[in-house]
Amino acid sequence: MSKAVKLADIAKQLGVSTVTVSKALSGQKGVSDEMRGRIRQLAQEMGYVKTVQEKPKEQKSYTIGIAAAERYLGGSSSFYLHLYQEISQRAMRKNCFALLEVISFEDEHGLNMPKMVSEGKVDAVIIMGTFVNEYVEFLRKNICLPLILLDTVANGEKSDCVVANNMMGAYRMTNYLFELGHSKIGFVGTRLATMSIDDRYFGYLKSLMQHGISLREDWMIDDRDRGTGLSFYDRHYRLPPKEDMPTAFFCNNDIAAMVMIRRLTENGFCVPDDISVVGFDNFINETFPKIGITTYAINTKEMARRCIHILLHKLENPEYSTGVYMIDGKFIERESAGRIGPPVPFI
């Protein structure tokens, strides 16, 4: 059996590079007409047959739909708009298009299918952020397309998810306050409003327990309505009595930290001289406060990259599954927290 002719064999006969031979045979630019003819003639005479490995792999293009709740996309400071932009940029690099559909409160509670799905406009779906449990289950059971959850997980069900390491990030932030000598630490975030807030609360609680500090329910500050997810300054961020204030607050996100600094300032407290405040996300797009917020940065670029990577694999192989993919963040120290004493030790 004769040996298969390779590009290198043709290149050696003509005294040119393998790249030149490859360009000539595949019709690419960069080769003169005369040389292209000589290469093709010699390839035919030598019995060259293009192998599967040498055939260029066609890059497929997909439209990826992203469903996000309306309540999380209000204003230019939305974390999820920022995350969508990261996904869109990553999708474009993979020759794909990202389509965002904002799900209204009525459609969410009415269990209405996103139009991008019902009208067949997308090839895969990302559920971004928290929805009511019934809506997530409705989507998971009725969308017959590759699907992944981003920045949330399904309750008690196996699903493919990409999430930030919320609990350990919050644990790190609360430990930092203990390192600064604080032992009276409050939490800002409405529990049971989103899974992200709950995970961050558990990280806060883990740190309290390991330092031998009891939870103070009166230092738990709501930042939004549990049912709708909407936040109102005159209804939320209610401070404890002045005579029994914590010396520090861990806020479930940087927007909450910003609003808490505003509330504290209006009530005569100076941050960080009187009370320290730390946040989460490393995302804020407001002019107030002027002080930099110490925070835990979520790696949104990696979340977007991993999400698109998993979906593209699922599109090629419907059985492909990763389970929960957790992405670590980074601690960032700024000016909003100050030392008040020696570190509080672990028990």
Side-chain angles (χ1 to χ4, degrees), residues 230-254:
L230 299 176
S231 180
F232 301 96
Y233 189 68
D234 58 347
R235 186 186 308 171
H236 303 110
Y237 299 97
R238 298 291 182 86
L239 298 181
K242 281 192 174 184
E243 62 272 11
D244 192 24
M245 284 283 288
T247 62
F249 285 99
F250 165 56
C251 304
N252 82 93
N253 61 52
D254 290 342

Side-chain angles (χ1 to χ4, degrees), residues 210-228:
Q210 291 189 345
H211 286 88
I213 303 298
S214 299
L215 176 69
R216 289 279 299 266
E217 285 288 344
D218 54 331
W219 289 350
M220 303 293 103
I221 311 297
D222 285 344
D223 71 329
R224 69 191 71 189
D225 181 79
R226 183 177 296 166
T228 65

Side-chain angles (χ1 to χ4, degrees), residues 260-273:
M260 274 301 290
I261 293 174
R262 174 185 171 188
R263 180 74 84 188
L264 290 166
T265 301
E266 290 177 351
N267 281 267
F269 297 100
C270 180
V271 176
D273 295 341

Side-chain angles (χ1 to χ4, degrees), residues 64-67 87 116 124-128 148-150 307-308 311:
I64 297 173
I66 304 168
I87 295 170
M116 60 185 177
V125 176
I126 297 172
I127 300 176
M128 184 170 67
I148 190 169
L149 277 63
L150 178 61
C307 197
I308 295 297
L311 273 185

Side-chain angles (χ1 to χ4, degrees), residues 67-261:
E70 182 179 25
R71 59 182 174 275
Y72 298 127
L73 297 173
S76 60
S77 62
S78 169
F79 170 78
Y80 286 117
L81 278 178
H82 172 69
L83 188 53
Y84 161 68
Q85 290 167 356
E86 295 284 3
I87 295 170
S88 181
Q89 291 172 13
R90 188 66 197 178
M92 289 178 64
R93 291 178 196 155
K94 294 296 183 179
N95 197 36
C96 296
F97 176 70
L99 175 64
L100 175 66
E101 180 166 340
V102 180
I103 308 300
S104 69
F105 184 83
E106 292 74 21
D107 283 340
E108 179 181 357
H109 287 262
L111 302 184
N112 294 320
M113 185 66 68
K115 290 182 175 59
M116 60 185 177
V117 176
S118 61
E119 296 176 2
K121 294 180 178 179
V122 295
D123 303 298
V125 176
I126 297 172
I127 300 176
M128 184 170 67
T130 300
F131 289 93
V132 294
N133 293 332
E134 293 79 8
Y135 191 61
V136 174
E137 291 310 302
F138 167 76
L139 295 180
R140 292 180 68 247
K141 292 177 180 178
N142 292 281
I143 292 179
C144 299
L145 298 170
L147 182 145
I148 190 169
L149 277 63
L150 178 61
D151 200 43
T152 188
V153 297
N155 272 337
E157 295 286 342
K158 181 182 177 183
S159 58
D160 292 329
C161 316
V162 174
V163 296
N165 197 341
N166 290 305
M167 191 178 87
M168 293 310 298
Y171 176 69
R172 172 69 181 92
M173 297 307 299
T174 312
N175 283 346
Y176 170 73
L177 292 173
F178 280 115
E179 292 166 10
L180 296 179
H182 297 278
S183 59
K184 300 167 66 176
I185 304 171
F187 178 83
V188 181
T190 302
R191 290 167 289 177
L192 300 179
T194 73
M195 291 184 181
S196 295
I197 294 178
D198 289 343
D199 286 344
R200 295 170 193 182
Y201 168 71
F202 292 143
Y204 159 82
L205 189 60
K206 175 182 174 70
S207 181
L208 292 188
M209 293 172 61
Q210 291 189 345
H211 286 88
I213 303 298
S214 299
L215 176 69
R216 289 279 299 266
E217 285 288 344
D218 54 331
W219 289 350
M220 303 293 103
I221 311 297
D222 285 344
D223 71 329
R224 69 191 71 189
D225 181 79
R226 183 177 296 166
T228 65
L230 299 176
S231 180
F232 301 96
Y233 189 68
D234 58 347
R235 186 186 308 171
H236 303 110
Y237 299 97
R238 298 291 182 86
L239 298 181
K242 281 192 174 184
E243 62 272 11
D244 192 24
M245 284 283 288
T247 62
F249 285 99
F250 165 56
C251 304
N252 82 93
N253 61 52
D254 290 342
I255 300 296
M258 176 198 72
V259 177
M260 274 301 290
I261 293 174

